[in-house]
Amino acid sequence: MRIVPASIANIIYPKDLPNGLFTSLIIACLFIGLASLRHGTSFQDWLNVIENWLIMLLIFPTATATVALPFKYRDPTFELKLTYYLGMFVAFLFTIAKLRYWR
């Protein structure tokens, strides 16, 4: 049984790499983003969760892919999807380091 339909998986995931790896990265980012709820479930805590999700799933990966655009123009075989997931992984590591010192 597939979690994501094949047509959507071709758009989202890079070629020739295990899709489960990227799915687990996305799920891990979503769960780490929920760490802001450890103090309570007030409106401010939910805003922190949304901020963490935006940073990990949208802002850092998009910035990384934007910086890598010149490589795409130089080499047409370069996959920006891999760069996007690299940015997501960097944001994941950044958030783990932030949570380590966050009180």
Side-chain angles (χ1 to χ4, degrees), residues 58-74:
L58 191 67
I59 295 173
F60 272 25
T62 304
T64 307
T66 304
V67 169
L69 276 175
F71 295 115
K72 177 69 175 175
Y73 291 126
R74 185 173 183 182

Side-chain angles (χ1 to χ4, degrees), residues 3 17 19 22-23 30 32 43-44 59-60 62-65 67 71-74 76 78 81-83 86 89 93 98:
I3 296 173
L17 289 172
N19 296 347
F22 299 111
T23 304
L30 289 173
I32 290 291
F43 181 69
Q44 184 66 38
I59 295 173
F60 272 25
T62 304
T64 307
V67 169
F71 295 115
K72 177 69 175 175
Y73 291 126
R74 185 173 183 182
F78 185 77
K81 293 177 192 176
L82 287 174
T83 310
L86 173 69
F89 182 70
L93 293 178
K98 182 179 80 170

Side-chain angles (χ1 to χ4, degrees), residues 10-25:
N10 291 337
I11 296 170
I12 295 175
Y13 299 120
K15 297 176 186 173
D16 301 330
L17 289 172
N19 296 347
L21 181 70
F22 299 111
T23 304
S24 63
L25 176 64

Side-chain angles (χ1 to χ4, degrees), residues 17-43:
L17 289 172
N19 296 347
L21 181 70
F22 299 111
T23 304
S24 63
L25 176 64
I26 293 169
I27 291 171
C29 286
L30 289 173
F31 280 136
I32 290 291
L34 290 173
S36 299
L37 295 178
R38 68 180 179 171
H39 297 296
T41 57
S42 67
F43 181 69

